[in-house]
Structures are given as C-alpha cells and as structure tokens.
Amino acid sequence: MEIDKGRVGAVLISAIISISVVGILIIVHEESSALKDFLIALTGHHWLTKSIIAAVLFPLLLIVFYFILGSEANKKRFKSDNLWTWSLILFFVVIFFIVFSVIQYTLHYFGES
Amino acid sequence: MTISFVYGLIVITLRLKPVLLSIHGWLGLSIMIISIFQVLPCYIFKTRKRPKHSHMLLGYSLGILVTVQATIGLFQGVVDAVKPFVVLHSVFGAIAAFSLTWIIIETYNLTENGILRIKIAGWVAAIFNIIGCWILGGYYYLTFYATDAKLKILESNQPWAHQILMETKEHIFLFLPIITLSIALILLFQGKDNTLLTDKKAQRSIILLSFLALSMIILLFIFGSLISYTANVGFGGA
C-alpha cells in the first residue's frame, strides 16, 4: 500500500484519543468501584482490561482516521499535516494524565493512612 | 571505560569473586576491548576515511553495550538481589531508551542516511517497548509481583512504594507503547522521502515525542528501582 504523507496526522489523532480514553478510565476506575469491578470481570484484572483496550483502540482508530483523512477536505478540516500542533496536544495530554495520576494516588495514600 | 572496568575488577577481586562469573563482568571486558579497538585506529591511520565505518559500527555497539551494562550495574547496585525477569524488563527498557536518544541526536543533525537510521531506531524503540516492557513487564506484574513483592511492600512500613509508585507506574506505562508506536509510524510516513531534511516542524515534533517517551522511561525506571528496593529490603514489618 502506498503511504500518503498527508495522512500522518491520523497517527497523532489516534494516539491522543486512545491515551485520553485510557487516561479517563484510569482516573474514573480509581474513584468508582463499580467500574473497577466491571474491568476486573472482563479479563480477571483491571490492568489487563485497560491494556487490551489500549492495544485494540489505537490501531482501530488509526485505520478509521487513515481512511477519513483520505479526502482533501478532511485533511484541511483536521489540519492533518500540522504535525507540530498535534504533537504538542499529545505531549500536554500525556503530561496532564501523568500529573493527575501521581496527585490522585498520593491523595489516596494519605487519605487512607 | 577501561578505567571503569579496572575499577570493577579491583572491587570484585577484593571481594574474592572471579570477575568473569557474571554477565556484568563479561560485558565490562567486552566494552573495554571494543573501546580500545575503537580508539586505536584513530591514532594509527592518518586519514579519517579508512576506519570510518568500523569506527561507527564499534561506536554504536558500544552505545548499546554501555546502556545494557549501566542498567544491570544500576539494578545490582540499587536492588542487590535481582530477579531475571526484572533484569530483562529493565534491559529492554534501556534499549528502547537508547533508541529514543539516538532518534533525538540524529534528528538534530539529520542527513539522508540518518533518515533510515532513525526509522530503524523508531521500530527498535517500539518493539522493545511493546514486547519487552509491556508484555514481559505485564506478565511479571500479574504473576510474580502480585503474589510476592506487592505483599512484602504492603506489609513493610513503606507501603507508599506500591500505593503511589507502583499504581502510578502500572497505569502511566500504558501510554508508552502508544507513543513509541506513534513515533515509529510518523518516521515511516515522514521518512518516505528526503523532505524531512528541510521540514523543521516535523523534526521538532519527532524530537518532542521522543523526548517525552524517553523522560517517561527514565521516570518509570526510577519508580521501578525504588519499588524493587523496597520489596527486597522491606524496611521492616509494619
């Protein structure tokens, strides 16, 4: 398959959405025991379920966005060739979830002890 | 490197242990020999052309070996008693970190040949991160850690090592395979032709994401070292 450079934005958009979904799951499952139980019931361990979600969601979104960005109109709409902007968004999304997780687990630790 | 090996040799000799009984010792000896072979031709040959390729090859080999050696050394120093699974997990992480460092340095001074090299480095980082860290680390976490180390840490007077560090590590780690795979795919797309040589924004994007992934690996490595140290030393029962 010929690689279309204009569709490179599909990689970053898929990464941002996948990380956001997994990041929200991480935050919410820590607060909701119902969600934690549901994640455990799916595979036997909440971490394994989240891993599988990440492993399935990213390639799936990648395929979807690769085809969406096939048209010139969608390329312009998503500014798919603007790598720097999408990279910055990905960078700050990851930093946000890292900082939030550290704060959340630290507060839980001191709340329990 | 030679001084480092000799120092290690003296330390081990004082402990009355044969140096070549460990992987760390063999690696140290290999690094010393390779570094000598890398430096000597520079003084023997007057022109730079002749030893260029062998010099490069030895240099890259040294980079990988030193990264692996430093990881094993650091883990032995910090953790003392190391499980093979943990060593393998951290060595694979170190190889991924080395590949990301390679991408950052190479992208700063990108050449036509450099594009191919960073593409390879991108896939090395992604594969070692996914197979070595995610699958291997996940297997270790779900089997050995959950039934052994976790209980030891929670029973010690330092339960924060699990409740803060491990909980954070196991979760933020899930972002890393996606980031490293994204870097490899971006390099695949952008490295299709030589336009990456002049596309400064694309270069900056690659450097930013590689720096992000590298910083995360270093952070998780520090977390991992502290968790292993707490599990092995224990700090006494609660």
Side-chain angles (χ1 to χ4, degrees), chain A residues 3 5 47 50 87 105 109, chain B residues 163 170-171 192 195 205:
Chain A
I3 298 166
K5 274 181 76 176
W47 185 84
K50 278 177 262 177
S87 300
Y105 288 116
Y109 175 73
Chain B
Q163 288 173 311
E170 73 181 61
H171 285 115
K192 194 183 153 194
T195 51
S205 302

Side-chain angles (χ1 to χ4, degrees), chain B residues 177-197:
Chain B
I178 297 175
I179 300 169
T180 48
L181 198 58
S182 297
I183 295 167
L185 287 168
I186 290 168
L187 289 168
L188 182 75
F189 278 87
Q190 291 292 314
K192 194 183 153 194
D193 49 42
N194 287 338
T195 51
L196 185 60
L197 291 173

Side-chain angles (χ1 to χ4, degrees), chain A residues 6 8 11 26-27 37 61 65 67 74 79 88-89 110:
Chain A
V8 68
V11 177
I26 291 167
I27 292 168
D37 291 342
L61 287 170
F65 277 100
F67 285 106
N74 282 338
K79 293 182 178 170
L88 269 181
I89 294 170
F110 286 108

Side-chain angles (χ1 to χ4, degrees), chain B residues 132-152:
Chain B
C133 300
W134 201 4
I135 297 173
L136 204 69
Y139 177 72
Y140 174 79
Y141 170 71
L142 294 172
T143 52
F144 303 112
Y145 178 82
T147 54
D148 181 31
K150 181 182 170 181
L151 303 174
K152 280 182 189 168

Side-chain angles (χ1 to χ4, degrees), chain A residues 88-107:
Chain A
L88 269 181
I89 294 170
L90 177 60
F91 180 84
F92 284 113
V93 165
V94 172
I95 296 293
F96 168 77
F97 282 115
I98 291 174
V99 173
F100 201 100
S101 295
V102 173
I103 293 171
Q104 192 181 31
Y105 288 116
T106 309
L107 288 176

Side-chain angles (χ1 to χ4, degrees), chain B residues 55-206:
Chain B
H55 186 80
M56 264 173 58
L57 198 70
L58 289 172
Y60 289 134
S61 314
L62 269 178
I64 297 167
L65 287 176
V66 168
T67 310
V68 173
Q69 175 78 326
T71 310
I72 296 174
L74 192 64
F75 241 106
Q76 283 178 344
V78 177
V79 181
D80 201 35
V82 196
K83 289 185 174 68
F85 247 117
V86 180
V87 173
L88 211 58
H89 171 64
S90 54
V91 165
F92 283 175
I95 293 169
F98 175 75
S99 304
L100 291 164
T101 312
W102 190 336
I103 294 170
I104 294 169
I105 295 167
E106 189 95 56
T107 311
Y108 263 116
N109 303 292
L110 201 58
T111 58
E112 271 183 49
N113 292 332
I115 292 176
L116 178 67
R117 283 197 291 267
I118 56 171
K119 275 163 82 173
I120 295 168
W123 285 110
V124 169
I127 290 166
F128 273 92
N129 201 250
I130 291 166
I131 296 172
C133 300
W134 201 4
I135 297 173
L136 204 69
Y139 177 72
Y140 174 79
Y141 170 71
L142 294 172
T143 52
F144 303 112
Y145 178 82
T147 54
D148 181 31
K150 181 182 170 181
L151 303 174
K152 280 182 189 168
I153 293 170
L154 291 177
E155 282 168 9
S156 77
N157 58 4
Q158 306 291 334
W160 57 269
H162 173 78
Q163 288 173 311
I164 299 176
L165 298 186
M166 193 59 181
E167 290 285 1
T168 309
K169 179 178 153 76
E170 73 181 61
H171 285 115
I172 63 172
F173 173 78
L174 292 173
F175 305 150
L176 252 181
I178 297 175
I179 300 169
T180 48
L181 198 58
S182 297
I183 295 167
L185 287 168
I186 290 168
L187 289 168
L188 182 75
F189 278 87
Q190 291 292 314
K192 194 183 153 194
D193 49 42
N194 287 338
T195 51
L196 185 60
L197 291 173
T198 51
D199 191 345
K200 291 292 171 193
K201 279 195 171 180
Q203 286 182 16
R204 275 199 334 222
S205 302
I206 292 161

